[in-house]
Structure formats: C-alpha cells, structure tokens
Amino acid sequence: MSEIDVVTPFAEAGYQISPDAAEMIASHSSPEALVEHILATIDESVFVIGVEHIDFDGFELNYKPEASARTSDIHPPIAYESHLSGYQTSDNPVEVLFDITDRSTCVGEYMEFTQYFRNRYSKLGEMIRGRINARPIESLTRNRRRVGIRQEGGNRESNEVSVIGMVSDIKTTTNGHKIIELEDPTGSFSVLVRVADKELFEQASSLVLDEVIGATGPLTNDGNLMIVNKITMPELPNGMRRRTGSYGKAVFISDVHIGSSTFLEDAWCDFIDFLKGDVSNEAMRQISKEIRYLVVAGDLVDGIGIFPDQEKELEILDVYEQYRKAAEYFHEIPQHIKVIIGPGNHDAVRLAEPQPRFPDHITADFPGNITFVGNPALVNLDGVKVLMYHGRSIDDFVQSVPGVSYQEPTTAMVEMMKRRHLSPTYGSRVSIAPEKHDHFVIDQVPDILHCGHVHTVGIQKYKNVLLINSGTWQSQTEFQKRVNLVPVPAQVPVVDLSNFKTSLLKFE
Ligand code: D5M
Ligand code: FE
Ligand code: ZN
C-alpha cells in the first residue's frame, strides 16, 4: 500500500491523516488490516489522525491469529488454573501508556505557564474545532466597527459567529445574566448568557475557570459582546464503541492511609485475605480466583506534615516506616495479581501535579508484581485502558459546579469527561506544575476512569466510560468530622473485564 492509498480510506471516512501516520501505516506488514482496525477503533473526536492515535497494541492483539482466541469464553478457566497452579507473568500484562515520570521539564518560570496553557488550548480546542466554525478572537475585536455596521443592516442570524476560548472570568450582571470572558492565543472577548435562556444558563452556571469551550451566537450591534445561543464542550464522542475481549477481574482501591491511627487495619487484612483466596464465603472465593489486577489510585500512606497537627493522628510517625509497613502488606498479595500504584497528595512525591511515581528508595521494598506509575497515569491492562487520577480536583468541582457532591463522587468525574480534562482550574486546590504538555487533558478516551481522594464510593457509566471512585481504608478523621465529611471505608469495586459489570465488596 502506498501512502496515497493509505490516505484515501481515511478521507472517505471523513478523517485527515498526518504524513507520519500515513508513512507508518504504509510501511506496516499488514497495512489494509491496520487501516480497517484504525477506522473501527478511532476516537470519533479525532480530526487529524496522528501516530499517537494509532492503537498498534490493540491491532497486534486482535489481528494475530493466535491472539484472536482471546475471548471471554475461553479465558476464565485459564485464569482459574493460573491461580491454583502458579502463574505466568505474561498472563496479566501491564503497560504504562502515559505518565509524567522522567518527563518533567518544568522549573517554574513564567513562560512555562504560557506554554502550558497554549498546549491545553490547542488540544482541547482541536476537539471542539470540528463541530463549530470558530474564528480567532482577534478577528472579532479587529473588525469590531465593521461587524457592527454589517449587523445593523443585515439579518441577525447570518451574523452569528463562533469562538473557542479558555474561560478566564465568570461574572453575574445585576440582572442575573452570566458574562463569560473567553481567551484564545489572539485575544479575549466577552460573551453573555441570558438568565431567561434556562438550559443554556444552567450550562453556563456549571462552567469553571480555565476550561476550554466553544461559544456561538450573534454579536451585539457595537460588536463588543456575543449573545450566546450555544456552548460547545470538548465532550466524549457519542456512540463510542467499547473495546472488549478481556477476561477476569480488576479490583480498584485508593486512600489506604497506612500509618494513620484511623487506618482500618482489620478490614484491610480481611481484604488481603480475600485477595489470597483465604475467605470463607464461597461466592467471594470464586471472585477472588478471577482477580488479575489491583489498581491503587493514591494516598497509599498517611504521610507526615500533610496538615497541621497530623502527628496527633498518626500510628507510625516516620513516613518511610509507613511505606515499609505498606510493602509488608503487599508482599502478602499473590504474585499473579498485578498491582498498579499511583501517588496521591499524602504520598512522598512532589505535591504539584502531575506527580511522578514513587522514588526507587521507596519502591525497592515492594514486591516485583507492582508497577508504580505517576498521577495521573494511563495504563493498558491487557486491552482495557484505565485512566488513574487521585482526584484532588474533585474538591474544586464540588465547590464550583452545582449538583456535584462528595456523596456522589462520580458526578465530579462526569464533569472531567465533559471537559476532557481532569483538573481545569489553576490556582485553586490543585497545585498544577506547568509542564510542556497538559497531562490532565483526556486525549485518549479510557475504558475506565479511576479516582479516589474524597473517601466516598461511586460507580457510574458515562457514555461508555466506567467511572469509579474507590473510597478509603480510613475512618473519619478529626478534620473530616469538622467539615462533616462522612467517609465510606472498606468497600471495594470489582470490575469484570469482559463486560465491565461492577460489583461492590464490603470488608467492614
Ligand atoms: O482527603 C480526603 C478528603 O478530605 C478530601 O475530600 C479532601 C478533604 N480534606 C482533607 N484534608 C483537608 C484540608 N486540610 N482542607 C480541606 N479539605 C481537606 P485526603 O487527601 O485523604 O486528606
Ligand atoms: Fe485520601
Ligand atoms: Zn487525597
């Protein structure tokens, strides 16, 4: 297949393809099959297919004749067998697709922020661009008078324009309307959402600072303001197909807080026993046999100096002792279960996000079946893509988006998905490091988004993505008593990887 031949099927399907990607496909050993696979799996929000959008692993898995036998019908017996009679490492592969570890470039210079926000704008703007015909903000401000004159004589509808911008300010007028300031690399512009426009006003009331949206509507006569009639968010594509074909189970936990005096050690040890298959309930034992992965989304230990007077609530006062204790527990987990651990705000890595994985002097104590990743991290668990994010930004979403609550933590995770961004607001609870690339942008749509941090449990589907918040192993702390945060400890979501059905196991 020549590069020209490669371009045609994509063009027919409405996609453009980058020269690099076309070259890569043309030089592949099975280009036709690869093209077919890309068209079947491509995220529909992609407009220009680049090398990064090509799911080579999925292709290898599905295309190789011996691998095509990987169906959920065949595999469970193999999983049982491997559990009972030793295991093979290759059975439960873990691939880290994306995290910041060893890629951090930021030193804290002012220019880095400009570059960071430009990167965010271009990635998220690209997702919106195909759906509205947006123009640079500069072209509105430059032509202000001309636009105004044209409007006076003409039809309002035909003067409708669209812009894509980052939300830099949100105000409410004395009449209750919302005025939103949007910024793109060429300038900034104010748009107005009328309080009478009920649905749109509700959408505008949920906007948060620094997210990227498209706004469409006519301009006022002086050309200074847009009266919005449509807001376009990056969003997930509709009707996205889910990749399937895996088998067995994955278990999701977070916020273990080992070292805290409120760490629920008895419940935790029951959980470890369950992972070992050491459980009296027969149904639980069956589930245990099918477990292939344990995913841990941060706050493994309680740390030290995380909040004032924390020492008073610590059982283990040395953070490295806390990790050694954690390592002891993880040594008890059967080796065939592959464990993935990312950090949270209580862990011993930099607080600014994205966070790198734990340093070697900490991981050295842990067993070899663990893959340490950064926060956030995108991992591929035998064909199932899991985006792990500790979830500090959930505190921001609860504060600023009506309807988002600690009791239902997945409501915040839906907001992340709509924005295709894990933590939009700069300068609030999350300390964001200005890296070259915005690692919070949800580029590749995962099968599962896994968060923790808020210590409550939530399981919800949003447009074919499974959202999980995995609670905690810590009972209510003094701080949480004061703010009336009621944790949901020792409950564990378990996902069937063949169909994404999720059950909640309780270890209280
Ligand atoms: O956070 C657990 C939950 O408690 C999370 O929703 C934040 C909240 N929390 C905990 N400490 C504080 C302070 N000092 N200020 C505000 N909110 C807080 P975790 O990360 O496990 O401590
Ligand atoms: Fe926590
Ligand atoms: Zn946390």
Side-chain angles (χ1 to χ4, degrees):
M1 228 175 163
S2 75
E3 277 173 50
I4 305 280
D5 295 334
V6 168
V7 173
T8 317
F10 289 107
E12 282 169 358
Y15 295 101
Q16 292 179 44
I17 183 156
S18 77
D20 287 354
E23 189 189 328
M24 216 156 189
I25 296 167
S27 58
H28 195 274
S29 55
S30 328
E32 285 89 359
L34 181 57
V35 167
E36 212 171 278
H37 174 78
I38 296 167
L39 286 172
T41 54
I42 190 80
D43 179 337
E44 282 159 32
S45 65
V46 170
F47 303 108
V48 183
I49 298 175
V51 175
E52 69 278 18
H53 298 117
I54 303 179
D55 172 26
F56 285 106
D57 299 320
F59 176 67
E60 300 299 335
L61 269 179
N62 292 314
Y63 184 70
K64 281 191 191 144
E66 69 273 21
S68 64
R70 285 168 172 267
T71 69
S72 48
D73 312 329
I74 295 172
H75 261 286
I78 300 176
Y80 288 161
E81 225 171 71
S82 67
H83 194 296
L84 297 173
S85 59
Y87 74 101
Q88 290 165 319
T89 321
S90 59
D91 260 353
N92 300 331
V94 175
E95 182 191 7
V96 182
L97 298 172
F98 193 73
D99 78 351
I100 189 69
T101 307
D102 302 329
R103 288 195 204 137
S104 174
T105 53
C106 105
V107 290
E109 280 173 7
Y110 177 75
M111 274 309 289
E112 291 176 326
F113 285 99
T114 312
Q115 188 181 25
Y116 169 74
F117 284 114
R118 289 243 163 124
N119 181 258
R120 173 185 300 191
Y121 177 82
S122 78
K123 282 181 175 176
L124 296 176
E126 199 53 46
M127 295 179 194
I128 299 169
R129 205 163 293 283
R131 281 178 278 151
I132 59 176
N133 188 14
R135 38 200 271 183
I137 284 174
E138 186 186 44
S139 74
L140 300 185
T141 46
R142 196 177 50 220
N143 297 337
R144 226 164 230 169
R145 208 177 305 138
R146 209 153 52 83
V147 172
I149 290 164
R150 248 197 306 153
Q151 276 217 168
E152 272 165 28
N155 161 3
R156 253 178 175 262
E157 300 294 302
S158 68
N159 276 304
E160 197 169 277
V161 294
S162 292
V163 294
I164 296 173
M166 193 175 290
V167 175
S168 59
D169 193 26
I170 305 171
K171 282 204 275 285
T172 307
T173 69
T174 45
N175 297 328
H177 308 306
K178 289 270 175 211
I179 295 209
I180 295 142
E181 176 141 317
L182 294 177
E183 230 179 271
D184 78 1
T186 70
S188 65
F189 200 77
S190 292
V191 305
L192 180 129
V193 179
R194 291 160 50 242
V195 65
D197 220 334
K198 223 169 162 280
E199 223 168 276
L200 198 66
F201 188 80
E202 215 167 89
Q203 201 182 358
S205 306
S206 298
L207 293 177
V208 301
L209 290 176
D210 307 326
E211 71 170 292
V212 176
I213 59 165
T216 303
L219 301 182
T220 51
N221 285 345
D222 59 7
N224 280 329
L225 188 68
M226 175 196 291
I227 311 297
V228 181
N229 58 30
K230 186 174 75 175
I231 293 174
T232 308
M233 295 178 81
E235 261 292 4
L236 290 182
N238 283 318
M240 203 178 55
R241 276 166 296 243
R242 182 198 289 292
R243 287 179 305 277
T244 49
S246 197
Y247 65 94
K249 295 199 160 43
V251 175
F252 294 83
I253 63 167
S254 59
D255 299 271
V256 192
H257 289 269
I258 293 163
S260 162
S261 44
T262 44
F263 167 52
L264 296 166
E265 189 172 20
D266 288 346
W268 173 256
C269 290
D270 287 348
F271 171 61
I272 300 280
D273 284 344
F274 157 75
L275 294 177
K276 295 199 289 198
D278 186 3
V279 53
S280 53
N281 180 306
E282 183 51 31
M284 293 274 275
R285 194 160 51 238
Q286 284 306 319
I287 294 172
S288 156
K289 282 181 185 172
E290 291 182 59
I291 294 170
R292 303 173 66 201
Y293 297 103
L294 169 64
V295 187
V296 188
D299 284 0
L300 179 60
V301 301
D302 206 50
I304 52 161
I306 309 292
F307 54 83
D309 288 335
Q310 190 189 8
E311 317 80 75
K312 292 181 188 154
E313 297 180 40
L314 284 180
E315 181 81 31
I316 306 173
L317 285 156
D318 177 325
V319 68
Y320 298 109
E321 275 305 318
Q322 295 176 359
Y323 282 109
R324 273 193 285 278
K325 186 71 196 167
E328 270 175 40
Y329 291 126
F330 280 84
H331 271 285
E332 288 187 46
I333 297 172
Q335 285 286 309
H336 72 272
I337 298 179
K338 292 295 179 292
V339 181
I340 303 91
I341 301 181
N345 52 304
H346 282 252
D347 286 297
V349 293
R350 76 170 185 193
L351 187 60
E353 299 178 12
Q355 298 176 294
R357 68 165 170 251
F358 296 163
D360 294 347
H361 63 90
I362 287 179
T363 62
D365 290 331
F366 286 80
N369 55 333
I370 302 184
T371 304
F372 289 91
V373 298
N375 170 44
L378 182 66
V379 295
N380 175 7
L381 308 182
D382 197 15
V384 174
K385 281 187 187 155
V386 180
L387 180 56
M388 301 163 64
Y389 175 54
H390 179 59
R392 193 112 206 253
S393 66
I394 297 175
D395 292 328
D396 288 342
F397 281 115
V398 169
Q399 275 203 330
S400 50
V401 180
V404 173
S405 70
Y406 284 119
Q407 292 74 42
E408 288 180 277
T410 52
T411 50
M413 298 166 74
V414 169
E415 299 302 318
M416 295 175 190
M417 281 297 161
K418 285 183 179 168
R419 291 166 176 81
R420 298 285 290 268
H421 201 280
L422 297 169
S423 180
T425 304
Y426 177 79
S428 198
R429 291 286 186 84
V430 185
S431 144
I432 296 177
E435 297 292 348
K436 272 208 179 86
H437 290 272
D438 186 347
H439 288 243
F440 299 105
V441 171
I442 305 172
D443 262 324
Q444 296 189 49
V445 180
D447 297 300
I448 299 173
L449 172 63
H450 174 206
C451 294
H453 183 59
V454 291
H455 295 203
T456 49
V457 172
I459 299 165
Q460 184 187 340
K461 275 246 181 85
Y462 180 68
K463 293 193 180 190
N464 259 341
V465 178
L466 177 61
L467 310 176
I468 294 179
N469 196 302
S470 50
T472 181
W473 296 88
Q474 184 180 38
S475 62
Q476 197 178 40
T477 64
E478 283 307 314
F479 172 83
Q480 290 164 355
K481 264 181 212 152
R482 286 202 298 279
V483 298
N484 201 21
L485 195 152
V486 183
V488 181
Q491 302 199 5
V492 179
V494 179
V495 176
D496 184 325
L497 296 175
S498 72
N499 57 17
F500 295 90
K501 289 202 174 115
T502 308
S503 38
L504 195 61
L505 304 181
K506 300 185 181 180
F507 293 89
E508 298 134 294

